[in-house]
Short mmCIF file of all heavy atoms in Angstrom, two decimals:
data_model
loop_
_atom_site.label_atom_id
_atom_site.label_comp_id
_atom_site.label_asym_id
_atom_site.label_seq_id
_atom_site.Cartn_x
_atom_site.Cartn_y
_atom_site.Cartn_z
N MET A 157 -69.89 54.85 23.39
CA MET A 157 -70.34 53.86 22.45
C MET A 157 -71.47 53.03 23.16
O MET A 157 -71.39 52.85 24.36
CB MET A 157 -69.21 52.94 22.04
CG MET A 157 -69.58 51.98 20.93
SD MET A 157 -68.13 51.15 20.23
CE MET A 157 -68.12 49.71 21.30
N ARG A 158 -72.40 52.60 22.36
CA ARG A 158 -73.50 51.83 22.94
C ARG A 158 -73.80 50.62 22.07
O ARG A 158 -73.75 50.72 20.82
CB ARG A 158 -74.77 52.72 23.04
CG ARG A 158 -75.95 52.03 23.60
CD ARG A 158 -77.06 52.97 23.93
NE ARG A 158 -77.66 53.52 22.70
CZ ARG A 158 -78.90 53.96 22.68
NH1 ARG A 158 -79.64 53.97 23.71
NH2 ARG A 158 -79.38 54.46 21.55
N ILE A 159 -74.07 49.51 22.69
CA ILE A 159 -74.51 48.30 21.98
C ILE A 159 -75.92 48.01 22.45
O ILE A 159 -76.15 47.78 23.64
CB ILE A 159 -73.60 47.08 22.24
CG1 ILE A 159 -72.16 47.45 21.88
CG2 ILE A 159 -74.11 45.87 21.47
CD1 ILE A 159 -71.16 46.36 22.26
N ARG A 160 -76.86 48.02 21.52
CA ARG A 160 -78.23 47.73 21.85
C ARG A 160 -78.56 46.29 21.37
O ARG A 160 -78.06 45.87 20.36
CB ARG A 160 -79.19 48.70 21.20
CG ARG A 160 -79.15 50.08 21.82
CD ARG A 160 -80.15 51.02 21.17
NE ARG A 160 -79.81 51.31 19.80
CZ ARG A 160 -80.66 51.29 18.81
NH1 ARG A 160 -81.94 51.02 18.98
NH2 ARG A 160 -80.28 51.59 17.57
N PHE A 161 -79.38 45.63 22.13
CA PHE A 161 -79.92 44.31 21.73
C PHE A 161 -81.37 44.56 21.37
O PHE A 161 -82.19 44.78 22.24
CB PHE A 161 -79.84 43.29 22.86
CG PHE A 161 -78.55 43.31 23.64
CD1 PHE A 161 -78.55 43.27 25.02
CD2 PHE A 161 -77.35 43.34 22.99
CE1 PHE A 161 -77.40 43.25 25.72
CE2 PHE A 161 -76.16 43.35 23.68
CZ PHE A 161 -76.16 43.30 25.06
N ARG A 162 -81.64 44.52 20.08
CA ARG A 162 -83.02 44.75 19.65
C ARG A 162 -83.89 43.58 20.03
O ARG A 162 -83.48 42.42 19.84
CB ARG A 162 -83.06 44.95 18.13
CG ARG A 162 -82.47 46.25 17.71
CD ARG A 162 -83.53 47.06 16.93
NE ARG A 162 -83.03 48.36 16.62
CZ ARG A 162 -82.70 48.75 15.37
NH1 ARG A 162 -82.77 47.89 14.38
NH2 ARG A 162 -82.25 49.97 15.17
N GLU A 163 -85.09 43.85 20.44
CA GLU A 163 -86.01 42.76 20.77
C GLU A 163 -86.21 41.91 19.55
O GLU A 163 -86.54 42.41 18.46
CB GLU A 163 -87.34 43.32 21.26
CG GLU A 163 -88.29 42.23 21.70
CD GLU A 163 -89.59 42.79 22.29
OE1 GLU A 163 -89.78 43.99 22.23
OE2 GLU A 163 -90.37 41.99 22.78
N ASN A 164 -85.96 40.64 19.68
CA ASN A 164 -86.11 39.64 18.59
C ASN A 164 -85.28 39.99 17.36
O ASN A 164 -85.63 39.63 16.23
CB ASN A 164 -87.59 39.52 18.18
CG ASN A 164 -88.46 39.19 19.35
OD1 ASN A 164 -88.05 38.53 20.27
ND2 ASN A 164 -89.68 39.66 19.31
N GLY A 165 -84.16 40.73 17.58
CA GLY A 165 -83.35 41.16 16.46
C GLY A 165 -81.85 41.22 16.74
O GLY A 165 -81.37 40.58 17.70
N PRO A 166 -81.15 42.02 15.97
CA PRO A 166 -79.68 42.04 16.02
C PRO A 166 -79.09 42.82 17.19
O PRO A 166 -79.79 43.56 17.90
CB PRO A 166 -79.31 42.71 14.70
CG PRO A 166 -80.46 43.66 14.44
CD PRO A 166 -81.68 42.95 14.97
N TYR A 167 -77.77 42.74 17.31
CA TYR A 167 -77.03 43.66 18.13
C TYR A 167 -76.80 44.89 17.25
O TYR A 167 -76.43 44.75 16.09
CB TYR A 167 -75.61 43.11 18.46
CG TYR A 167 -75.60 41.81 19.21
CD1 TYR A 167 -75.21 40.64 18.62
CD2 TYR A 167 -75.94 41.76 20.55
CE1 TYR A 167 -75.18 39.45 19.33
CE2 TYR A 167 -75.88 40.61 21.30
CZ TYR A 167 -75.51 39.43 20.67
OH TYR A 167 -75.49 38.27 21.38
N VAL A 168 -77.04 46.06 17.78
CA VAL A 168 -76.77 47.28 17.04
C VAL A 168 -75.68 48.08 17.79
O VAL A 168 -75.89 48.47 18.93
CB VAL A 168 -78.04 48.12 16.87
CG1 VAL A 168 -77.72 49.42 16.13
CG2 VAL A 168 -79.08 47.31 16.11
N VAL A 169 -74.53 48.20 17.11
CA VAL A 169 -73.43 48.94 17.71
C VAL A 169 -73.46 50.37 17.16
O VAL A 169 -73.44 50.55 15.96
CB VAL A 169 -72.07 48.27 17.35
CG1 VAL A 169 -70.92 48.95 18.07
CG2 VAL A 169 -72.12 46.77 17.66
N GLU A 170 -73.52 51.30 18.09
CA GLU A 170 -73.57 52.71 17.68
C GLU A 170 -72.20 53.34 17.91
O GLU A 170 -71.60 53.17 18.97
CB GLU A 170 -74.60 53.46 18.51
CG GLU A 170 -76.00 52.95 18.30
CD GLU A 170 -77.03 53.64 19.22
OE1 GLU A 170 -76.62 54.37 20.14
OE2 GLU A 170 -78.21 53.40 18.97
N PHE A 171 -71.72 54.05 16.90
CA PHE A 171 -70.40 54.63 16.97
C PHE A 171 -70.50 56.16 16.97
O PHE A 171 -71.38 56.74 16.35
CB PHE A 171 -69.58 54.22 15.74
CG PHE A 171 -69.36 52.74 15.64
CD1 PHE A 171 -70.18 51.98 14.85
CD2 PHE A 171 -68.36 52.15 16.35
CE1 PHE A 171 -70.03 50.62 14.74
CE2 PHE A 171 -68.19 50.79 16.26
CZ PHE A 171 -69.01 50.00 15.46
N PRO A 172 -69.50 56.81 17.59
CA PRO A 172 -69.43 58.24 17.48
C PRO A 172 -69.15 58.65 16.02
O PRO A 172 -68.54 57.89 15.28
CB PRO A 172 -68.23 58.64 18.37
CG PRO A 172 -67.93 57.40 19.17
CD PRO A 172 -68.47 56.27 18.43
N PRO A 173 -69.58 59.86 15.63
CA PRO A 173 -69.34 60.31 14.26
C PRO A 173 -67.85 60.26 13.94
O PRO A 173 -67.00 60.59 14.77
CB PRO A 173 -69.82 61.75 14.29
CG PRO A 173 -70.76 61.83 15.45
CD PRO A 173 -70.29 60.81 16.44
N GLY A 174 -67.53 59.83 12.72
CA GLY A 174 -66.14 59.79 12.28
C GLY A 174 -65.40 58.50 12.58
O GLY A 174 -64.26 58.30 12.17
N THR A 175 -66.06 57.57 13.30
CA THR A 175 -65.43 56.29 13.62
C THR A 175 -65.23 55.49 12.36
O THR A 175 -66.12 55.43 11.51
CB THR A 175 -66.30 55.48 14.62
OG1 THR A 175 -66.47 56.24 15.80
CG2 THR A 175 -65.64 54.16 14.95
N LYS A 176 -64.03 54.89 12.23
CA LYS A 176 -63.77 54.03 11.07
C LYS A 176 -63.82 52.58 11.54
O LYS A 176 -63.24 52.22 12.53
CB LYS A 176 -62.41 54.35 10.47
CG LYS A 176 -62.41 55.73 9.86
CD LYS A 176 -61.16 55.99 9.09
CE LYS A 176 -61.30 57.38 8.49
NZ LYS A 176 -60.28 57.76 7.63
N VAL A 177 -64.52 51.74 10.76
CA VAL A 177 -64.65 50.33 11.07
C VAL A 177 -64.10 49.52 9.91
O VAL A 177 -64.42 49.79 8.78
CB VAL A 177 -66.14 49.96 11.34
CG1 VAL A 177 -66.27 48.46 11.60
CG2 VAL A 177 -66.70 50.77 12.48
N ARG A 178 -63.30 48.53 10.21
CA ARG A 178 -62.71 47.70 9.16
C ARG A 178 -63.04 46.24 9.40
O ARG A 178 -63.06 45.79 10.55
CB ARG A 178 -61.20 47.85 9.13
CG ARG A 178 -60.71 49.19 8.66
CD ARG A 178 -59.19 49.13 8.41
NE ARG A 178 -58.47 50.29 8.08
CZ ARG A 178 -58.85 51.53 7.87
NH1 ARG A 178 -60.09 51.82 7.94
NH2 ARG A 178 -58.04 52.47 7.56
N LEU A 179 -63.31 45.51 8.34
CA LEU A 179 -63.55 44.06 8.41
C LEU A 179 -62.67 43.43 7.32
O LEU A 179 -62.85 43.76 6.14
CB LEU A 179 -65.02 43.74 8.19
CG LEU A 179 -65.35 42.25 8.14
CD1 LEU A 179 -65.11 41.60 9.52
CD2 LEU A 179 -66.80 42.02 7.73
N GLY A 180 -61.73 42.57 7.72
CA GLY A 180 -60.84 41.93 6.77
C GLY A 180 -60.04 42.94 6.00
O GLY A 180 -59.75 42.76 4.81
N GLY A 181 -59.72 44.08 6.61
CA GLY A 181 -58.86 45.09 5.98
C GLY A 181 -59.66 46.08 5.17
O GLY A 181 -59.10 47.07 4.69
N GLU A 182 -60.96 45.84 4.99
CA GLU A 182 -61.78 46.77 4.24
C GLU A 182 -62.58 47.67 5.12
O GLU A 182 -63.21 47.20 6.06
CB GLU A 182 -62.76 45.99 3.33
CG GLU A 182 -62.18 45.60 2.00
CD GLU A 182 -63.26 45.07 1.06
OE1 GLU A 182 -64.32 45.69 0.94
OE2 GLU A 182 -63.00 44.01 0.47
N GLU A 183 -62.60 48.96 4.78
CA GLU A 183 -63.38 49.85 5.60
C GLU A 183 -64.84 49.70 5.29
O GLU A 183 -65.28 49.54 4.12
CB GLU A 183 -62.95 51.31 5.29
CG GLU A 183 -63.54 52.27 6.30
CD GLU A 183 -62.89 53.64 6.21
OE1 GLU A 183 -61.66 53.71 6.02
OE2 GLU A 183 -63.63 54.64 6.30
N ILE A 184 -65.70 49.69 6.31
CA ILE A 184 -67.13 49.52 6.15
C ILE A 184 -67.78 50.88 6.24
O ILE A 184 -67.59 51.58 7.26
CB ILE A 184 -67.68 48.60 7.28
CG1 ILE A 184 -67.01 47.24 7.23
CG2 ILE A 184 -69.20 48.48 7.18
CD1 ILE A 184 -67.34 46.38 8.45
N PRO A 185 -68.52 51.29 5.21
CA PRO A 185 -69.21 52.56 5.31
C PRO A 185 -70.32 52.51 6.35
O PRO A 185 -71.03 51.52 6.46
CB PRO A 185 -69.83 52.74 3.90
CG PRO A 185 -69.76 51.43 3.25
CD PRO A 185 -68.75 50.60 3.98
N LEU A 186 -70.43 53.54 7.15
CA LEU A 186 -71.46 53.59 8.20
C LEU A 186 -72.36 54.81 7.98
O LEU A 186 -72.23 55.81 8.68
CB LEU A 186 -70.80 53.70 9.61
CG LEU A 186 -69.98 52.54 10.03
CD1 LEU A 186 -69.27 52.86 11.34
CD2 LEU A 186 -70.83 51.29 10.20
N PRO A 187 -73.25 54.75 7.01
CA PRO A 187 -74.08 55.90 6.72
C PRO A 187 -74.94 56.34 7.89
O PRO A 187 -75.27 57.51 8.05
CB PRO A 187 -74.94 55.45 5.53
CG PRO A 187 -74.86 53.97 5.50
CD PRO A 187 -73.54 53.59 6.17
N LYS A 188 -75.32 55.40 8.77
CA LYS A 188 -76.17 55.77 9.90
C LYS A 188 -75.36 55.85 11.22
O LYS A 188 -75.93 56.13 12.25
CB LYS A 188 -77.26 54.68 10.10
CG LYS A 188 -78.24 54.62 8.96
CD LYS A 188 -79.26 53.54 9.26
CE LYS A 188 -80.20 53.35 8.12
NZ LYS A 188 -81.07 52.17 8.32
N GLY A 189 -74.08 55.60 11.14
CA GLY A 189 -73.27 55.62 12.35
C GLY A 189 -73.51 54.43 13.25
O GLY A 189 -73.14 54.46 14.42
N ASN A 190 -74.07 53.37 12.70
CA ASN A 190 -74.22 52.18 13.50
C ASN A 190 -74.09 50.93 12.59
O ASN A 190 -74.08 51.01 11.40
CB ASN A 190 -75.55 52.15 14.28
CG ASN A 190 -76.76 52.17 13.39
OD1 ASN A 190 -76.78 51.49 12.37
ND2 ASN A 190 -77.76 52.93 13.74
N LEU A 191 -73.98 49.82 13.29
CA LEU A 191 -73.73 48.55 12.61
C LEU A 191 -74.67 47.51 13.24
O LEU A 191 -74.65 47.36 14.47
CB LEU A 191 -72.27 48.15 12.84
CG LEU A 191 -71.53 47.26 11.93
CD1 LEU A 191 -71.60 47.74 10.49
CD2 LEU A 191 -70.06 47.22 12.37
N ALA A 192 -75.40 46.79 12.42
CA ALA A 192 -76.32 45.74 12.96
C ALA A 192 -75.64 44.40 12.75
O ALA A 192 -75.36 43.98 11.62
CB ALA A 192 -77.67 45.78 12.26
N LEU A 193 -75.38 43.69 13.84
CA LEU A 193 -74.71 42.39 13.80
C LEU A 193 -75.70 41.29 14.15
O LEU A 193 -76.48 41.42 15.10
CB LEU A 193 -73.54 42.39 14.79
CG LEU A 193 -72.48 43.44 14.54
CD1 LEU A 193 -71.45 43.42 15.65
CD2 LEU A 193 -71.82 43.23 13.18
N CYS A 194 -75.60 40.18 13.39
CA CYS A 194 -76.54 39.05 13.56
C CYS A 194 -76.42 38.44 14.97
O CYS A 194 -75.34 38.16 15.44
CB CYS A 194 -76.25 38.00 12.51
SG CYS A 194 -77.36 36.57 12.62
N ARG A 195 -77.56 38.26 15.57
CA ARG A 195 -77.65 37.60 16.88
C ARG A 195 -78.38 36.29 16.78
O ARG A 195 -78.29 35.44 17.66
CB ARG A 195 -78.37 38.54 17.86
CG ARG A 195 -78.50 38.02 19.25
CD ARG A 195 -78.74 39.09 20.27
NE ARG A 195 -80.01 39.75 20.19
CZ ARG A 195 -80.77 40.05 21.23
NH1 ARG A 195 -80.41 39.71 22.44
NH2 ARG A 195 -81.93 40.69 21.07
N CYS A 196 -79.10 36.05 15.66
CA CYS A 196 -79.92 34.86 15.55
C CYS A 196 -79.15 33.68 14.92
O CYS A 196 -79.56 32.54 15.06
CB CYS A 196 -81.15 35.13 14.71
SG CYS A 196 -80.81 35.30 12.92
N GLY A 197 -78.05 33.97 14.24
CA GLY A 197 -77.27 32.89 13.60
C GLY A 197 -77.73 32.57 12.20
O GLY A 197 -77.12 31.72 11.55
N GLY A 198 -78.80 33.21 11.70
CA GLY A 198 -79.36 32.84 10.41
C GLY A 198 -78.99 33.73 9.25
O GLY A 198 -79.36 33.45 8.11
N SER A 199 -78.26 34.82 9.49
CA SER A 199 -77.93 35.76 8.42
C SER A 199 -77.12 35.11 7.32
O SER A 199 -76.25 34.27 7.56
CB SER A 199 -77.16 36.95 8.99
OG SER A 199 -76.74 37.80 7.93
N HIS A 200 -77.38 35.52 6.08
CA HIS A 200 -76.58 35.06 4.94
C HIS A 200 -75.45 36.05 4.67
O HIS A 200 -74.69 35.89 3.69
CB HIS A 200 -77.46 34.93 3.71
CG HIS A 200 -78.60 33.95 3.91
ND1 HIS A 200 -78.40 32.57 3.90
CD2 HIS A 200 -79.90 34.15 4.16
CE1 HIS A 200 -79.55 31.99 4.15
NE2 HIS A 200 -80.51 32.89 4.31
N LYS A 201 -75.35 37.07 5.47
CA LYS A 201 -74.30 38.09 5.32
C LYS A 201 -73.54 38.28 6.64
O LYS A 201 -73.20 39.39 7.01
CB LYS A 201 -74.92 39.40 4.90
CG LYS A 201 -75.52 39.38 3.52
CD LYS A 201 -76.04 40.74 3.10
CE LYS A 201 -76.60 40.65 1.71
NZ LYS A 201 -77.13 41.97 1.27
N LYS A 202 -73.33 37.21 7.36
CA LYS A 202 -72.63 37.29 8.66
C LYS A 202 -71.30 38.00 8.51
O LYS A 202 -70.64 37.79 7.48
CB LYS A 202 -72.39 35.90 9.26
CG LYS A 202 -73.70 35.21 9.67
CD LYS A 202 -73.34 33.89 10.31
CE LYS A 202 -74.60 33.15 10.61
NZ LYS A 202 -74.82 32.01 9.76
N PRO A 203 -70.90 38.80 9.40
CA PRO A 203 -71.50 38.98 10.75
C PRO A 203 -72.63 39.97 10.79
O PRO A 203 -73.14 40.32 11.85
CB PRO A 203 -70.31 39.53 11.56
CG PRO A 203 -69.52 40.34 10.57
CD PRO A 203 -69.67 39.60 9.26
N PHE A 204 -73.09 40.46 9.62
CA PHE A 204 -74.12 41.50 9.60
C PHE A 204 -75.52 40.87 9.62
O PHE A 204 -75.74 39.80 9.10
CB PHE A 204 -73.95 42.41 8.37
CG PHE A 204 -72.56 42.95 8.30
CD1 PHE A 204 -71.68 42.47 7.32
CD2 PHE A 204 -72.11 43.88 9.22
CE1 PHE A 204 -70.39 42.98 7.25
CE2 PHE A 204 -70.81 44.36 9.18
CZ PHE A 204 -69.95 43.91 8.19
N CYS A 205 -76.45 41.61 10.14
CA CYS A 205 -77.86 41.21 10.12
C CYS A 205 -78.41 41.51 8.71
O CYS A 205 -78.15 42.56 8.15
CB CYS A 205 -78.63 42.03 11.15
SG CYS A 205 -80.43 41.83 11.02
N ASP A 206 -79.13 40.54 8.13
CA ASP A 206 -79.74 40.79 6.82
C ASP A 206 -81.27 40.68 6.92
O ASP A 206 -81.95 40.62 5.90
CB ASP A 206 -79.19 39.79 5.77
CG ASP A 206 -79.60 38.38 6.05
OD1 ASP A 206 -80.23 38.08 7.09
OD2 ASP A 206 -79.27 37.48 5.19
N GLY A 207 -81.80 40.65 8.12
CA GLY A 207 -83.27 40.59 8.31
C GLY A 207 -83.82 39.21 8.41
O GLY A 207 -85.01 39.01 8.65
N THR A 208 -82.97 38.19 8.24
CA THR A 208 -83.45 36.79 8.27
C THR A 208 -84.10 36.44 9.63
O THR A 208 -84.98 35.59 9.70
CB THR A 208 -82.29 35.81 7.99
OG1 THR A 208 -81.78 36.11 6.68
CG2 THR A 208 -82.73 34.35 8.05
N HIS A 209 -83.71 37.13 10.71
CA HIS A 209 -84.26 36.84 12.01
C HIS A 209 -85.79 36.93 12.01
O HIS A 209 -86.46 36.22 12.77
CB HIS A 209 -83.65 37.78 13.07
CG HIS A 209 -83.92 39.23 12.84
ND1 HIS A 209 -83.04 40.01 12.11
CD2 HIS A 209 -84.94 40.01 13.18
CE1 HIS A 209 -83.55 41.25 12.04
NE2 HIS A 209 -84.70 41.26 12.69
N LYS A 210 -86.33 37.78 11.15
CA LYS A 210 -87.79 37.94 11.08
C LYS A 210 -88.46 36.66 10.57
O LYS A 210 -89.55 36.30 11.03
CB LYS A 210 -88.16 39.11 10.15
CG LYS A 210 -87.68 40.44 10.72
CD LYS A 210 -87.92 41.55 9.69
CE LYS A 210 -87.19 42.81 10.08
NZ LYS A 210 -87.11 43.79 9.00
N THR A 211 -87.86 36.03 9.58
CA THR A 211 -88.48 34.84 9.02
C THR A 211 -88.22 33.61 9.87
O THR A 211 -88.95 32.62 9.77
CB THR A 211 -87.96 34.56 7.60
OG1 THR A 211 -86.53 34.35 7.62
CG2 THR A 211 -88.27 35.70 6.65
N LEU A 212 -87.20 33.64 10.74
CA LEU A 212 -86.88 32.51 11.59
C LEU A 212 -87.74 32.53 12.88
O LEU A 212 -87.75 31.55 13.59
CB LEU A 212 -85.41 32.55 12.01
CG LEU A 212 -84.40 32.32 10.87
CD1 LEU A 212 -82.98 32.42 11.45
CD2 LEU A 212 -84.62 30.99 10.20
N GLY A 213 -88.38 33.63 13.14
CA GLY A 213 -89.13 33.75 14.39
C GLY A 213 -88.20 33.86 15.60
O GLY A 213 -88.54 33.41 16.70
N PHE A 214 -87.02 34.40 15.37
CA PHE A 214 -86.04 34.53 16.47
C PHE A 214 -86.62 35.36 17.61
O PHE A 214 -87.25 36.39 17.39
CB PHE A 214 -84.77 35.24 15.89
CG PHE A 214 -83.72 35.52 16.93
CD1 PHE A 214 -83.02 34.52 17.55
CD2 PHE A 214 -83.44 36.83 17.33
CE1 PHE A 214 -82.04 34.76 18.49
CE2 PHE A 214 -82.49 37.09 18.28
CZ PHE A 214 -81.77 36.06 18.84
N GLN A 215 -86.39 34.87 18.83
CA GLN A 215 -86.89 35.59 19.98
C GLN A 215 -85.77 35.83 20.99
O GLN A 215 -85.01 34.91 21.31
CB GLN A 215 -88.00 34.78 20.66
CG GLN A 215 -89.25 34.66 19.82
CD GLN A 215 -90.38 34.01 20.54
OE1 GLN A 215 -90.19 33.28 21.48
NE2 GLN A 215 -91.59 34.29 20.08
N ALA A 216 -85.67 37.05 21.44
CA ALA A 216 -84.69 37.44 22.46
C ALA A 216 -85.08 38.79 23.05
O ALA A 216 -85.77 39.58 22.38
CB ALA A 216 -83.29 37.55 21.83
N GLU A 217 -84.68 38.97 24.28
CA GLU A 217 -85.03 40.22 24.95
C GLU A 217 -84.24 41.39 24.47
O GLU A 217 -83.12 41.24 23.98
CB GLU A 217 -84.85 40.06 26.44
CG GLU A 217 -85.84 39.11 27.09
CD GLU A 217 -85.69 39.05 28.59
OE1 GLU A 217 -85.10 39.98 29.16
OE2 GLU A 217 -86.17 38.07 29.16
N ALA A 218 -84.78 42.59 24.65
CA ALA A 218 -84.07 43.81 24.33
C ALA A 218 -83.16 44.18 25.48
O ALA A 218 -83.36 43.75 26.63
CB ALA A 218 -85.06 44.91 24.04
N GLY A 219 -82.17 44.97 25.21
CA GLY A 219 -81.27 45.45 26.26
C GLY A 219 -80.23 46.37 25.65
O GLY A 219 -80.22 46.65 24.47
N GLU A 220 -79.29 46.80 26.48
CA GLU A 220 -78.20 47.60 25.97
C GLU A 220 -77.04 47.66 26.91
O GLU A 220 -77.18 47.40 28.10
CB GLU A 220 -78.66 49.03 25.63
CG GLU A 220 -78.91 49.90 26.84
CD GLU A 220 -79.23 51.32 26.43
OE1 GLU A 220 -80.02 51.54 25.50
OE2 GLU A 220 -78.68 52.25 27.09
N ILE A 221 -75.88 47.92 26.35
CA ILE A 221 -74.62 48.08 27.10
C ILE A 221 -74.06 49.42 26.69
O ILE A 221 -73.94 49.75 25.54
CB ILE A 221 -73.59 46.98 26.76
CG1 ILE A 221 -74.10 45.62 27.16
CG2 ILE A 221 -72.26 47.26 27.42
CD1 ILE A 221 -73.15 44.49 26.70
N GLN A 222 -73.73 50.22 27.72
CA GLN A 222 -73.07 51.52 27.47
C GLN A 222 -71.60 51.33 27.70
O GLN A 222 -71.18 50.74 28.72
CB GLN A 222 -73.59 52.58 28.45
CG GLN A 222 -75.03 52.94 28.25
CD GLN A 222 -75.22 54.01 27.18
OE1 GLN A 222 -74.27 54.61 26.73
NE2 GLN A 222 -76.44 54.19 26.76
N ILE A 223 -70.78 51.79 26.82
CA ILE A 223 -69.33 51.67 26.93
C ILE A 223 -68.72 53.06 26.86
O ILE A 223 -68.97 53.78 25.88
CB ILE A 223 -68.75 50.77 25.81
CG1 ILE A 223 -69.36 49.39 25.87
CG2 ILE A 223 -67.22 50.72 25.92
CD1 ILE A 223 -69.08 48.54 24.65
N GLU A 224 -67.95 53.41 27.90
CA GLU A 224 -67.28 54.68 27.90
C GLU A 224 -65.83 54.46 27.63
O GLU A 224 -65.16 53.75 28.34
CB GLU A 224 -67.49 55.39 29.22
CG GLU A 224 -68.93 55.80 29.40
CD GLU A 224 -69.15 56.69 30.64
OE1 GLU A 224 -68.19 57.36 31.07
OE2 GLU A 224 -70.26 56.67 31.12
N VAL A 225 -65.34 55.05 26.52
CA VAL A 225 -63.95 54.93 26.16
C VAL A 225 -63.20 56.17 26.68
O VAL A 225 -63.62 57.27 26.41
CB VAL A 225 -63.82 54.86 24.62
CG1 VAL A 225 -62.36 54.69 24.23
CG2 VAL A 225 -64.66 53.70 24.07
N PRO A 226 -62.11 55.90 27.46
CA PRO A 226 -61.40 57.07 28.05
C PRO A 226 -60.74 57.91 26.98
O PRO A 226 -60.43 57.52 25.94
CB PRO A 226 -60.37 56.40 28.95
CG PRO A 226 -60.24 55.00 28.51
CD PRO A 226 -61.51 54.65 27.82
S1 FES B 28 -80.24 38.99 13.82
FE1 FES B 28 -80.89 39.65 11.91
S2 FES B 28 -80.36 38.08 10.57
FE2 FES B 28 -79.69 37.39 12.50
#
């Protein structure tokens, strides 16, 4: 699994194919196999990114974390 920090944007969590993700008991469809989570604090659909970071002028460096699950 990998978590990327998009430059001036959200955290993007990438999942292996077939991973099931639930929020409040509801399964979240992952058509792209990843999930974009708000990092700027301005999203109207938290915890998800809705693109508001672009209008806020949010600035942050890019990066990533690799996670190996045994
Ligand atoms: S990072 Fe995209 S709306 Fe916050």
Side-chain angles (χ1 to χ4, degrees):
M157 188 169 91
R158 180 169 70 154
I159 302 173
R160 289 184 291 136
F161 315 134
R162 289 238 175 108
E163 184 175 6
N164 305 329
Y167 299 109
V168 178
V169 185
E170 298 176 349
F171 299 97
T175 300
K176 293 189 178 185
V177 177
R178 290 191 185 357
L179 176 66
E182 274 190 47
E183 192 168 321
I184 300 169
L186 295 173
K188 295 180 184 172
N190 63 42
L191 203 53
L193 301 174
C194 180
R195 181 159 69 136
C196 74
S199 174
H200 300 286
K201 295 183 178 180
K202 291 183 186 109
F204 307 108
C205 170
D206 67 356
T208 299
H209 60 270
K210 295 174 192 166
T211 61
L212 294 178
F214 176 69
Q215 294 186 336
E217 291 185 18
E220 72 175 45
I221 296 174
Q222 293 276 348
I223 301 168
E224 292 188 25
V225 181

